[in-house]
Amino acid sequence: MCGIVAFIGSRDASPLLLDGLRKLEYRGYDSAGLATVTIRENEKEGFVTCKRAKGKLVNLVELIEQSGAPGHLGIGHTRWATHGKPEEHNAHPHRDASGDIAVVQNGIIENHNYLRQDLEKQGVSFLSETDTEVIPHLISKELQRLLDLGKLPSGSVLLEAVIEVMKLLEGAYAIAVIWSKTPDSLVVVKKQTPLVIGLGEGEFFCASDMPALTGFTRTILPMEDDEMALLTPLGIELYDVNGQRKNRSPLFLSGVDQVIDKQNFRHFMLKEIHEQPDTAELWVSRYLSNDLETGAFLGGPYDAPIFESIEEIQILACGTSRHAGMVGAYLLEQFAGIRTSVFFASEFRYAPPPLSPNTLTIGVTQSGETADTLAALAMEHQRRTSLNNIEFASLQLGITNCPESSLALQVSNILDIGAGIEVGVAATKTFLGQLLAFYGLAINIAARRKSRSRTEIRNLCRELKAIPSQIKDLIKNHNQMAESLAHRFADTEDVVFLGRGINYPIALEGALKLKEISYIHAEGYPAGEMKHGPIALLDQRVPVISIATPGVVFEKVLSNAQEAKARDATLIGIGPKIPETEIFDFLLPIPKVSEWASPLLTVIPMQLLSYYIAAQRGLDVDQPRNLAKSVTVE
Ligand code: AGP
């Protein structure tokens, strides 16, 4: 989704801003822009240069190469259209009528219509359809008021004006503001949308996402909600919304930089599919390293005694993360014996179920920034606090791939899946990491509650230990198979994915992956539901991909597949190569494992097949149209 980068120091700002924006490209955007401030020789005041371009960043780069954007202070933005089409006039930065104030914004200004009408009544003309454009006009008016009172242009006056304007803005947003009259001041604001300050030597950065700071600095100050900062080449001043000074020490990021490198892969998505054995290996070494024979099943960092008293679990997530949550719920209920519900975070926040006692709330978000998930968790925290369910208000667990994200600031127990940066918009390795986190939780709870015997738990752990090498072999064997099968989808317009039980969410995930990157219409269905409606869609033009792994519903899945075959659909199976799976026209074989462990393998051929179908169509696999890597607006 939209990305912000800002810089102040003694170096040329525009190359640094472009570099930062390049590192945010993977998040998805449809236009880009930057604005700088510099002073002309013999003049006291500066001037703003603003450049914007529709489409990919390369268009902006060309523009700046042609006409330049001088200055040691600047703000940059990649925009993912919400209000107004992806056109140059809607790209950020936006400016006031004089062009002296430039603003970039991530998020949504919910009352922008009202503010716009009010400004129009005062004679302001708007040049864009965006919600953001109200901000520079409002700041301009406020600055004029302050100057009329006799105040002189300074960073503090700019800050004062922004504080006043914040009082008028409703919504969740992060903004960065520059003013031609203060060429040594940058004001940034965070309200429920991520923003992090980076501290260099005599220079400062600000970005919506950590990857934008890679290579610039490892010393960071993540901003908190309702916080603002005045950045000058001399330092950072942190304030609350009332203008009261705040103090907080920066953090130093240890570990290796998250390098965004495609290596020799054609797309990041393919690279990330290939990284899954490492994701699984890391989890096994972190959480299953115990000697299984002792019965000390770890499965995750759940030491708090309160975990003993959990009676129910609710999982809040969106998209792929919700599918991981659905597999998790199956494991938690069927393996660990604890009642578990999964919710679309976007629905939960407005229609939560009645409160249940002793409930653990889990938020699953690979980015840790998904607005709906964060808001649903916050709402649940607030709801339990106000009803004096304090202990369980705070008992929230976040499962994420980004332990420095907003989720980690909000939720006290964090399980880092450690998959490394995922650049492809379509989640692959982070999905696997989320699944493994749920296996750990289910094992842990089953062991605590003794809902499974030691032998059953030990057997599952043994299977999980073998998963990294099984995934590795699967990827090796399926690469070519999926690639050649993908050719058969050249003219396909609809695909149905079927699964049951623990593999039903994998059918949903298969359909989501395919539609996201290939734009083919796909439905994931629990196989038994087909005959209640969707079977009407089937004919020889609609391939049916059916997950069939031995277990409680194996025979049922096979007979549901037969029903599809009788309607002339091409049947593709994902399951072990055994006589029963000979009914499929094509089989993408997986090793024979228990039904419990099967989703960790059935998802791999799904990912590869979707990838090759999209790649063969020549589509932008890593940045599919209309999608963003982290969805920071509601
Ligand atoms: C996954 O392929 C999608 N890009 C999308 O559904 C994603 O899973 C969803 O937006 C949730 O993202 P999160 O895990 O960062 O919260």
Side-chain angles (χ1 to χ4, degrees), residues 535 538-539 559-571:
I535 202 163
L538 297 190
D539 62 25
S559 58
N560 297 144
Q562 296 279 18
E563 289 160 13
K565 200 169 187 174
R567 271 82 191 170
D568 294 330
T570 304
L571 262 193

Side-chain angles (χ1 to χ4, degrees), residues 317-322 364-370 373 422 424-428 430 434 509 512-513 516 627-631:
C318 305
T320 289
S321 297
R322 194 182 69 91
V364 192
T365 160
Q366 66 80 21
S367 62
E369 302 294 355
T370 299
T373 307
E422 187 175 68
V425 163
T428 50
T430 54
Q434 292 166 342
E509 177 58 10
L512 179 64
K513 250 2 23 129
E516 273 188 302
L627 297 183
K629 185 66 186 163
S630 63
V631 184

Side-chain angles (χ1 to χ4, degrees), residues 110-184:
E110 286 170 357
N111 58 339
H112 74 102
N113 262 334
Y114 164 78
L115 295 170
R116 190 183 183 107
Q117 282 163 16
D118 198 44
L119 284 162
E120 277 169 343
K121 275 186 213 144
Q122 297 173 50
V124 173
S125 307
F126 280 79
L127 302 175
S128 78
E129 291 99 54
T130 65
D131 53 337
T132 303
E133 201 188 337
V134 295
I135 304 173
H137 293 300
L138 290 169
I139 294 176
S140 169
K141 289 204 167 291
E142 187 54 30
L143 279 172
Q144 194 53 56
R145 191 184 69 84
L146 294 171
L147 297 181
D148 289 348
L149 289 175
K151 297 202 174 181
L152 294 176
S154 68
S156 317
V157 168
L158 177 59
L159 183 85
E160 201 179 332
V162 175
I163 290 175
E164 285 310 307
V165 169
M166 269 187 81
K167 291 178 188 160
L168 305 174
L169 304 178
E170 286 170 15
Y173 52 83
I175 57 178
V177 189
I178 52 176
W179 184 24
S180 63
K181 294 187 194 313
T182 52
D184 56 358

Side-chain angles (χ1 to χ4, degrees), residues 272-435:
E272 285 152 7
I273 290 174
H274 279 77
E275 283 171 347
Q276 292 180 107
D278 299 339
T279 307
E281 190 60 65
L282 180 74
W283 181 81
V284 166
S285 65
R286 269 189 190 168
Y287 298 127
L288 283 184
S289 57
N290 315 51
D291 177 3
L292 299 183
E293 305 312 314
T294 66
F297 311 107
L298 186 60
Y302 317 106
D303 294 333
I306 191 171
F307 275 95
E308 299 289 344
S309 53
I310 299 166
E311 285 171 19
E312 201 168 322
I313 295 178
Q314 54 189 8
I315 299 171
L316 317 180
C318 305
T320 289
S321 297
R322 194 182 69 91
H323 298 153
M326 290 173 73
V327 175
Y330 188 96
L331 289 165
L332 289 162
E333 288 202 327
Q334 306 301 322
F335 188 83
I338 186 159
R339 186 189 296 273
T340 307
S341 320
V342 187
F343 297 90
F344 290 101
S346 52
E347 291 295 317
F348 182 92
R349 58 189 291 197
Y350 297 109
L355 274 188
S356 49
N358 292 16
T359 299
L360 166 68
T361 303
I362 303 180
V364 192
T365 160
Q366 66 80 21
S367 62
E369 302 294 355
T370 299
D372 284 319
T373 307
L374 297 182
L377 288 166
M379 187 278 282
E380 184 62 358
H381 183 274
Q382 162 69 28
R383 182 167 81 128
R384 287 188 184 266
T385 308
S386 62
L387 287 169
N388 254 340
N389 192 232
I390 310 285
E391 206 180 12
F392 282 89
S394 304
L395 187 65
Q396 294 195 338
L397 171 67
I399 298 179
T400 186
N401 195 36
C402 298
E404 282 99 23
S405 60
S406 304
L407 177 80
L409 295 176
Q410 193 176 312
V411 168
S412 46
N413 302 290
I414 285 291
L415 197 145
D416 172 15
I417 60 175
I421 189 164
E422 187 175 68
V423 175
V425 163
T428 50
K429 62 176 179 174
T430 54
F431 177 66
L432 185 85
Q434 292 166 342
L435 290 184

